[in-house]
Amino acid sequence: MAAPGKRVLCFDLDDTLWSVEEGIKKAEAELVRGLAKQHPEHASHFVDAEKLKAVKATVYERETDLLERCDYGEVRRRVMMHGLLLGGMCQEAIDAAIGDIMERWFYLRSSCCAKFPHADEVLAQLSLEYEMVAVTNGNARLDHAGIADYFHHHITPMHEGMKPKPCRSMFLKALDLTGTSPEHVVMIGDDKEKDIAPAIDLGMKAVLVDVLGGKACPTVPESVRTITCLSALPTVIKEYYSSQPRL
C-alpha cells in the first residue's frame, strides 16, 4: 500500500546533474596518466589514442549484450583488461591489478563530472522535504560524486531484475522502495525517451532538464516543465505539488 502523503523525487544523474561526456573524458585522461606511471611497459594501448580507440572498438563489437544492458562498468573493465593484454601484461598480472584499476576508474568517473551550477544547493534543499531516488542507466557512484547524503535510494540496471530505462522496471522499483504511488512522484531527467516518457506513462509528473541545450522539443507533453537551470527546480516541484493535497 502506498504511504499517505509521501512525495518522491526521482533523479536521473548523467546530463541531468552534470555533463557526463566532459567528465568521462577527464576521468579517462587521468586514468591513462596513472597507468602510464604504474605500468609504463604495458600502457601503450592506452597512451596512444588511436590504439585505445581500436581497443574500445574491439570490445564494443563483441560485448553488445553488456552495452544493451548498460553494464558500462563491466565493459570498461574488459577494455582495460584487453588493452593491458595487448600491451604485453600476462593474464595473472592483469587479474591482480584490475581490481585497483577499476576502483580508481569508478572514483574518477564520478568525481571528474563537474556538477551543473546550483546542483548541490538544490539537492540539499529538496532532500529536506522529499524522499529522493537516483534512477540512472549510468554507473556513477553517489559517494564519489559527493551527493550520497541527498538520496535515500539508488537504482541502476545492475540491480537484480532491473532493465535499463526506458523500460519501466527501475521506475516500478522506485515506487516499491518508497511505498508510494505514481501520482506522488516527479521524475527529473534530461532524456525525453528514457526519463520523461516512461514516467508520464506510469502516471508520474516529470521535469525535463535542458542545461546543456537542445533537449526541448514540441513533442514533450504540455504537462512537462522544461528547465534550463537547476535553480528553477524547487519552484517547479512546489508548483506541481501545490494543487495536490496530502492524503
Side-chain angles (χ1 to χ4, degrees):
M1 178 180 293
K6 180 178 285 190
R7 294 175 173 181
V8 175
L9 304 182
C10 290
F11 277 86
D12 175 58
L13 300 178
D14 293 334
D15 289 341
T16 296
L17 297 180
W18 52 68
S19 172
V20 66
E21 182 177 357
E22 179 182 346
I24 291 292
K25 287 180 180 178
K26 290 180 180 178
E28 192 167 83
E30 185 63 29
L31 186 68
V32 168
R33 281 193 289 269
L35 285 172
K37 290 180 180 180
Q38 295 175 352
H39 307 284
E41 68 277 25
H42 302 303
S44 60
H45 283 73
F46 301 105
V47 175
D48 187 307
E50 289 302 312
K51 287 183 178 180
L52 178 56
K53 184 177 179 181
V55 169
K56 289 180 178 180
T58 298
V59 173
Y60 294 170
E61 183 176 0
R62 71 188 184 195
E63 303 296 353
T64 55
D65 184 57
L66 290 175
L67 289 169
E68 288 175 0
R69 299 204 313 264
C70 295
D71 194 348
Y72 302 127
E74 180 61 22
V75 171
R76 176 66 59 171
R77 188 179 74 87
R78 297 189 186 195
V79 165
M80 303 310 297
M81 293 180 71
H82 185 55
L84 291 170
L85 188 65
L86 291 176
M89 183 180 282
C90 70
Q91 189 62 54
E92 184 178 0
I94 293 173
D95 292 341
I98 195 64
D100 288 341
I101 291 172
M102 288 307 298
E103 278 302 310
R104 179 63 174 164
W105 166 253
F106 281 119
Y107 171 77
L108 291 170
R109 183 258 186 266
S110 303
S111 61
C112 285
C113 289
K115 291 189 280 292
F116 291 142
H118 310 291
D120 279 311
E121 55 261 44
V122 166
L123 291 174
Q125 177 184 344
L126 293 174
S127 67
L128 296 176
E129 187 172 354
Y130 305 99
E131 187 165 350
M132 310 259 282
V133 185
V135 181
T136 175
N137 285 348
N139 56 10
R141 294 186 174 178
L142 302 186
D143 53 347
H144 294 330
I147 58 174
D149 290 344
Y150 306 135
F151 288 90
H152 296 78
H153 308 285
H154 182 194
I155 306 169
T156 78
M158 298 305 98
H159 288 83
E160 184 178 358
M162 297 297 99
K163 293 182 179 180
K165 298 178 294 183
C167 180
R168 291 184 169 192
S169 62
M170 289 199 289
F171 296 92
L172 294 174
K173 184 66 172 179
L175 296 177
D176 180 59
L177 288 173
T178 58
T180 194
S181 52
E183 64 269 22
H184 297 298
V185 179
V186 179
M187 176 68 201
I188 299 106
D190 72 290
D191 192 300
K192 175 183 174 294
E193 300 300 329
K194 295 178 181 179
D195 299 320
I196 306 304
I200 294 297
D201 288 345
L202 279 172
M204 300 177 180
K205 296 176 176 62
V207 179
L208 180 65
V209 177
D210 192 24
V211 175
L212 294 174
K215 301 288 184 179
C217 64
T219 58
V220 175
E222 290 185 5
S223 62
V224 176
R225 293 284 299 276
T226 299
I227 61 172
T228 57
C229 181
L230 290 175
S231 63
L233 189 57
T235 298
V236 171
I237 298 298
K238 186 175 181 179
E239 290 174 354
Y240 269 151
Y241 283 126
S242 62
S243 60
Q244 184 184 83
R246 292 186 180 272
L247 301 178

